Amino acid sequence: RTGALKKSKAWGIYFRRKTPDLTQAIDESHEYFPQIDPRAKFDAKDGHNIWTFPSCGGAKFQFAHMQHETDRFKYKSSAYTYLAFDELTEFEEIQFLYMQSRLRCADDALVPFLQTVWASNPDGPGLLWVRNRFIEGRQPERVYRTRYHLNNGMTREKDEIFIPFGLKDNPVLFATGAYEMQLRGLPPEIREAILEGNWYYASGAFLARVWNTKYHVVDDHPVPSGVAIYRSGDYGYNKPSSITWWYVDRDGIMTAFYNLYVTDKTPEQLAGLIKEVEQEFGLWDDDRDVSDISGPLDSACWN
């Protein structure tokens, strides 16, 4: 439509955990953003790092950090139409969730375009929460839709999708083979994460250097009849308790078929959860109100 474009409320923001990590992204923005709008201006005053696009009604794009957990409150009164997190596993879950409350806009025309995106290698301190929230139990490249019934009588939907990206998806790096050569020379757990995109390795863990999802993970299936079943446990309160149920087949291979992973549970509360799981799998004697199986606990439990 002809006529002057009204002042745009579009405001995107790109996060890295620490300010120095923004350097390369900001440098690349100086190459690409002027191609979007030749009149685009960059303001680095007071560390703002904000691009303004006059040809797009003054839309803005900002580069920012959240080094400390409480840094999220610096954006308390802000409103963004686009949130981007680079290397999400470097962030804490509360930072990510809090910023979702800043994804909002008073311009009805922009509401359908509100979006959060993230990218990350499958490593770093936040690997577990990112995996649990976005990877676990979900098929890659499948859209998962949640419908919300709002207090104003409206119904809105939110879509989520996880798109794996491997070395083959980067034609420049893949073609030369130089980067793949570097990765293949790294320790197995690092190679698994970066080259294979494996979200189920655990760097520094006991099995980190031998774990391979291709061999150590099987499709869901019923527990075979007539096999020995055991329970192992590692208790924690502030740190998670991890209780795992195993069966041992005729070849002596152990398969974990269920895991309970919880925090902030007293021994009594944890025992109640264990009972519920074992009742579900038919491993509990309801008449005697005891478990039909046994298994080891870590030595720290006896402290």
Side-chain angles (χ1 to χ4, degrees):
R1 151 175 97 97
T2 59
L5 181 68
K6 295 188 297 183
K7 182 175 177 61
S8 175
K9 295 184 180 296
W11 194 310
I13 188 166
Y14 168 102
F15 284 108
R16 287 297 303 263
R17 189 68 192 261
K18 297 180 180 179
T19 300
D21 297 330
L22 293 168
T23 303
Q24 287 190 352
I26 293 175
D27 285 347
E28 290 190 6
S29 74
H30 281 83
E31 178 181 354
Y32 296 116
F33 283 9
Q35 298 180 40
I36 299 173
D37 182 357
R39 295 192 293 150
K41 295 182 179 180
F42 182 69
D43 179 14
K45 185 179 180 181
D46 298 326
H48 288 157
N49 296 322
I50 298 175
W51 280 94
T52 301
F53 301 89
S55 299
C56 301
K60 298 183 183 297
F61 193 93
Q62 181 178 357
F63 293 90
H65 77 278
M66 281 192 288
Q67 179 173 355
H68 306 291
E69 179 190 318
T70 54
D71 284 345
R72 67 188 188 275
F73 295 122
K74 296 190 298 184
Y75 309 97
K76 189 173 185 178
S77 300
S78 303
Y80 300 103
T81 52
Y82 177 86
L83 299 172
F85 291 83
D86 197 356
E87 296 298 348
L88 183 60
T89 56
E90 294 180 357
F91 292 85
E92 297 181 43
E93 186 173 16
I94 188 62
Q95 294 175 309
F96 177 84
L97 294 177
Y98 182 82
M99 290 309 302
Q100 304 312 301
S101 69
R102 307 300 93 196
L103 191 65
R104 55 184 180 166
C105 187
D107 187 344
D108 292 341
L110 290 174
V111 169
F113 302 100
L114 298 180
Q115 185 181 32
T116 298
V117 300
W118 62 267
S120 185
N121 284 300
D123 57 10
L127 180 142
L128 188 61
W129 78 260
V130 175
R131 189 181 74 191
N132 288 344
R133 179 169 287 277
F134 298 110
I135 314 297
E136 187 76 33
R138 296 196 173 191
Q139 297 180 14
E141 300 186 14
R142 174 181 170 182
V143 176
Y144 289 84
R145 177 166 295 168
T146 305
R147 180 174 288 111
Y148 297 92
H149 300 285
L150 309 180
N151 290 335
N152 63 4
M154 298 179 63
T155 299
R156 287 196 175 274
E157 296 174 336
K158 181 176 74 171
D159 292 344
E160 289 186 352
I161 183 172
F162 167 60
I163 303 175
F165 187 92
L167 180 58
K168 292 182 180 179
D169 299 303
N170 189 319
V172 176
L173 290 179
F174 182 70
T176 66
Y179 184 51
E180 181 177 353
M181 179 186 67
Q182 291 296 112
L183 294 179
R184 292 198 177 279
L186 296 175
E189 70 273 19
I190 301 177
R191 184 175 66 243
E192 271 281 305
I194 300 179
L195 181 59
E196 303 296 338
N198 186 350
W199 283 85
Y200 290 89
Y201 91 105
S203 181
F206 183 75
L207 297 175
R209 290 178 176 265
V210 298
W211 183 263
N212 188 321
T213 303
K214 295 177 182 178
Y215 306 115
H216 300 135
V217 177
V218 295
D219 293 333
D220 285 341
H221 60 273
V223 176
S225 60
V227 295
I229 297 178
Y230 300 94
R231 174 203 329 109
S232 63
D234 184 2
Y235 177 71
Y237 186 82
N238 294 322
K239 293 184 178 180
S241 291
S242 181
I243 312 297
T244 306
W245 285 260
W246 311 77
Y247 74 80
V248 185
D249 65 21
R250 294 177 180 177
D251 295 322
I253 296 174
M254 300 182 66
T255 300
F257 63 89
Y258 196 85
N259 176 252
L260 180 66
Y261 198 78
V262 293
T263 56
D264 302 329
K265 301 297 181 184
T266 65
E268 292 79 10
Q269 291 171 326
L270 182 61
L273 294 175
I274 292 173
K275 177 180 177 180
E276 290 177 8
V277 172
E278 298 190 357
Q279 285 178 320
E280 180 180 345
F281 282 98
L283 303 173
W284 193 269
D285 186 332
D286 290 315
D287 293 333
R288 296 188 299 137
D289 197 28
V290 295
S291 175
D292 287 331
I293 63 173
S294 64
L297 285 169
D298 68 301
S299 58
C301 291
W302 314 118
N303 294 333

